[in-house]
Amino acid sequence: MSSDKLFHTEHLEQDLKTKAVRGGSFTVAAQGVRFLLQLVSTAVLARLLLPEDYGLIGMTMVVSGFVGIVRDGGLIYATIQKETITHQEVSLLFWINVSIGLVIALLLVCLSPLVAMVFGEPRLTLLLCALSVPFLIGGCTVQHKALLQRQMSFGKIAIIEIISRIAGIVVAISLAMANFGYWALAFMEIVAAASTLILVWLMLRWKPAAPKWSRDVLSTLRFGGNVVLFNVVNYISRNADNALIGWYWGTASLGLYSRAYSLLMMPINQISAPITAVAVPILSRAAKDPQKLKRIFTEATSMVAALVIPIVVCATVFADDLVRIWLGDQWMDAANIFRLLSVPAFLFSASQPITWLFIVLDRTHYLRNVGLVMAPVNVLAFWIGLPYGPEGVALAYTISSCVLFIPVVRYALKGTPIGMMDVFRTWTQPLLSAASGIAAGLAIKSLVQPQLSQLLTAIVSIGVFGLVYVLVMVLAFGWRARVMAWYARKASIRKAQPTATDPVS
């Protein structure tokens, strides 16, 4: 691919569905590998490190976790979304991202003594200074990764993410075996960031020009600023419940609530992240054609619904069984919290595709407004539910999510070719299939419960639910044809070997 093509997308607008299939294949496979690497590395490092080591890293997350949400300035989506962009514009954005990374790194260094004093842990000073390095390095990779996504080079992105993660894990395990303690976890992040920097610059031979200010970039900065502001208020909203429960009820209640929420959101995040990574660039290329935008959006939303709805329905009905399987009997007090949180978890997942439209249609000011309304409403709901314990907070979150969902969807779809019924129709088949699975799962549970232990009963009933759900989706609603078409298209992609993926000269 010539370097000029990095900034144009006309060659990508043909057969977007094929590119979506290829991108989805690479991204889902990479997500699966990363998840497996996470499981393996966690299991190994947990046997080599002490809980204290993880506690120190957790303390640094109070600061680094917050500043991390502004690390790209919202500019990665700006580059992906724009219909036309120039080498000079991307170069200027590159230097802006480098500056953001430098400012964040300096901020962490300056705050490190204060954080160490607050926690009464002097080791945090040097540790936070070390963890500022990935932010500095990351600023040099944002626009390269944005250009790769803009050109739908999902295979290259997958290779970069997997190799960099493996490099970080190998270094972490080596340091842990050499008794370096918490530094193993710190250097895992540093090495992963450094590996990403090397790989993106090798796979995308684009070199930024010297920065040259242009008034045209102001609209791009407003775009990114709106995304950052939404991320900040969303971060506050998503963490206020934990903070309030920990302050009012203490660590034990917070542990139940946070474990229930984490268990519920882990599979949902594993699904939404790869689909979003593919959907945003694909939809951006279709934004000029309302009918094509509507078709691709509804197909992607159908996929999200088909994957998320069974998780949420299963969590609602089999909450006790899921908690017993994954967390153990000692966590059974979290089951009702888990059940209550399944509703806001579903509405959060259902609203994820809506946020794609804010990005691809350059309506991030709508996204900002949504965040500024939702955050205070949710925090107020948490406060109202707080005197009634973690379950009260979970119930209040459920109510606020339901109250906000319809107005937010109506606001988001206003002026687009997509109607609310287009979104709701994507839920029909998964909901009916999930209802069939629930009926079968509960019937089997009542039959085997007298003969099997509680753990085996839970595994069997949930397994039957999953099997029936898949069978109904495939046989009754024609998803077999969709899957076969997907494989056929994937096979044709392998044979075609498009030249658009040639290395950049």
Side-chain angles (χ1 to χ4, degrees):
M1 184 194 297
S2 67
S3 58
D4 288 341
K5 277 192 174 181
L6 285 174
F7 309 103
H8 301 287
T9 56
E10 293 84 355
H11 61 290
L12 298 171
E13 293 176 7
Q14 301 298 319
D15 201 4
L16 283 175
K17 190 169 184 178
T18 297
K19 294 179 176 67
V21 170
R22 181 175 60 197
S25 302
F26 283 129
T27 308
V28 170
Q31 186 76 1
V33 172
R34 286 200 305 274
F35 184 59
L36 182 61
L37 288 172
Q38 182 182 359
L39 290 177
V40 172
S41 63
T42 300
V44 174
L45 289 171
R47 287 161 173 78
L48 297 172
L49 299 175
L50 301 173
E52 179 186 4
D53 298 323
Y54 285 95
L56 283 167
I57 296 296
M59 290 177 184
T60 68
M61 289 299 294
V62 172
V63 179
S64 61
F66 179 74
V67 298
I69 64 177
V70 302
R71 66 191 306 169
D72 65 16
L75 299 179
I76 188 168
Y77 283 126
T79 300
I80 294 168
Q81 178 270 341
K82 290 192 75 171
E83 183 180 345
T84 58
I85 197 166
T86 65
H87 169 64
Q88 193 61 52
E89 285 178 302
V90 179
S91 296
L92 180 56
L93 295 179
F94 170 85
W95 292 111
I96 292 172
N97 281 125
V98 170
S99 301
I100 293 172
L102 178 60
V103 169
I104 290 176
L106 290 174
L107 182 64
L108 288 177
V109 171
C110 293
L111 287 175
S112 60
L114 178 61
V115 175
M117 183 179 68
V118 169
F119 283 101
E121 180 50 75
R123 289 176 292 181
L124 290 177
T125 301
L126 191 56
L127 185 58
L128 261 177
C129 291
L131 288 173
S132 69
V133 174
F135 290 98
L136 182 60
I137 295 173
C140 302
T141 65
V142 172
Q143 290 305 312
H144 285 74
K145 289 192 284 188
L147 287 172
L148 285 171
Q149 282 191 262
R150 180 179 174 84
Q151 293 300 319
M152 303 183 196
S153 299
F154 300 111
K156 292 180 180 179
I157 295 170
I159 292 170
I160 291 167
E161 291 178 346
I162 291 170
I163 292 178
S164 61
R165 182 49 55 189
I166 291 173
I169 290 170
V170 169
V171 169
I173 292 174
S174 301
L175 290 175
M177 292 177 68
N179 297 316
F180 278 86
Y182 57 88
W183 286 111
L185 299 174
F187 273 91
M188 180 165 65
E189 300 305 320
I190 295 170
V191 170
S195 302
T196 299
L197 174 66
I198 294 169
L199 290 168
V200 295
W201 280 69
L202 285 175
M203 290 197 177
L204 189 78
R205 302 296 179 86
W206 171 72
K207 295 180 181 179
K212 183 179 178 182
W213 179 256
S214 169
R215 292 184 62 86
D216 294 337
V217 84
L218 288 175
S219 62
T220 303
L221 294 179
R222 280 194 294 270
F223 179 104
N226 288 330
V227 173
V228 168
L229 183 56
F230 171 80
N231 287 339
V232 169
V233 296
N234 188 52
Y235 180 89
I236 294 171
S237 174
R238 296 282 297 278
N239 289 274
D241 49 353
N242 288 316
L244 288 170
I245 291 171
W247 165 73
Y248 194 95
W249 290 101
T251 55
S253 295
L254 176 58
L256 290 173
Y257 186 90
S258 62
R259 281 297 84 197
Y261 191 79
S262 299
L263 177 61
L264 184 59
M265 291 305 297
M266 183 181 66
I268 292 175
N269 288 333
Q270 293 293 325
I271 291 167
S272 62
I275 294 178
T276 298
V278 175
V280 170
I282 295 289
L283 289 168
S284 296
R285 304 290 75 82
K288 293 184 296 184
D289 185 336
Q291 292 308 309
K292 184 182 288 187
L293 176 70
K294 180 178 179 178
R295 176 175 55 80
I296 295 175
F297 176 83
T298 52
E299 288 179 355
T301 305
S302 297
M303 183 62 68
V304 172
L307 294 171
V308 169
I309 283 177
I311 294 173
V312 173
V313 171
C314 185
T316 304
V317 178
F318 296 108
D320 297 289
D321 302 299
L322 286 167
V323 170
R324 182 172 286 111
I325 292 171
W326 265 276
L327 300 180
D329 289 333
Q330 69 271 26
W331 289 91
M332 290 309 297
D333 288 341
N336 201 38
I337 302 171
F338 186 75
R339 183 179 289 108
L340 288 169
L341 288 173
S342 64
V343 176
F346 168 66
L347 295 178
F348 166 78
S349 304
S351 64
Q352 279 290 92
I354 306 298
T355 63
W356 305 341
L357 294 177
F358 290 131
I359 300 293
V360 304
L361 297 177
D362 195 6
R363 302 170 72 177
T364 55
H365 55 294
Y366 280 41
L367 182 65
R368 175 202 64 203
N369 295 343
V370 166
L372 291 173
V373 171
M374 291 183 67
V377 171
N378 283 330
V379 172
L380 177 62
F382 299 151
W383 185 263
I384 293 171
L386 190 60
Y388 304 97
E391 291 186 10
V393 173
L395 178 60
Y397 191 15
T398 297
I399 294 171
S400 67
S401 298
C402 293
V403 169
L404 288 168
F405 184 74
I406 297 296
V408 166
V409 173
R410 286 179 64 88
Y411 180 68
L413 298 179
K414 182 181 177 182
T416 75
I418 301 153
M420 289 189 63
M421 292 308 299
D422 294 319
V423 175
F424 294 149
R425 271 192 289 269
T426 64
W427 301 359
T428 305
Q429 294 177 358
L431 284 173
L432 291 173
S433 301
S436 302
I438 289 297
L442 290 176
I444 291 295
K445 185 176 183 178
S446 64
L447 289 174
V448 303
Q449 203 164 22
Q451 287 80 33
L452 300 178
S453 66
Q454 287 183 320
L455 181 61
L456 284 176
T457 299
I459 293 171
V460 170
S461 55
I462 292 172
V464 169
F465 162 79
L467 178 61
V468 172
Y469 175 82
V470 171
L471 289 175
V472 174
M473 286 290 285
V474 169
L475 300 178
F477 292 122
W479 279 71
R480 180 178 180 276
R482 296 192 192 189
V483 173
M484 295 302 292
W486 183 85
Y487 276 113
R489 193 174 287 271
K490 187 176 177 183
S492 68
I493 291 167
R494 287 200 185 115
K495 293 177 183 177
Q497 292 294 316
T499 57
T501 56
D502 290 345
V504 176
S505 57

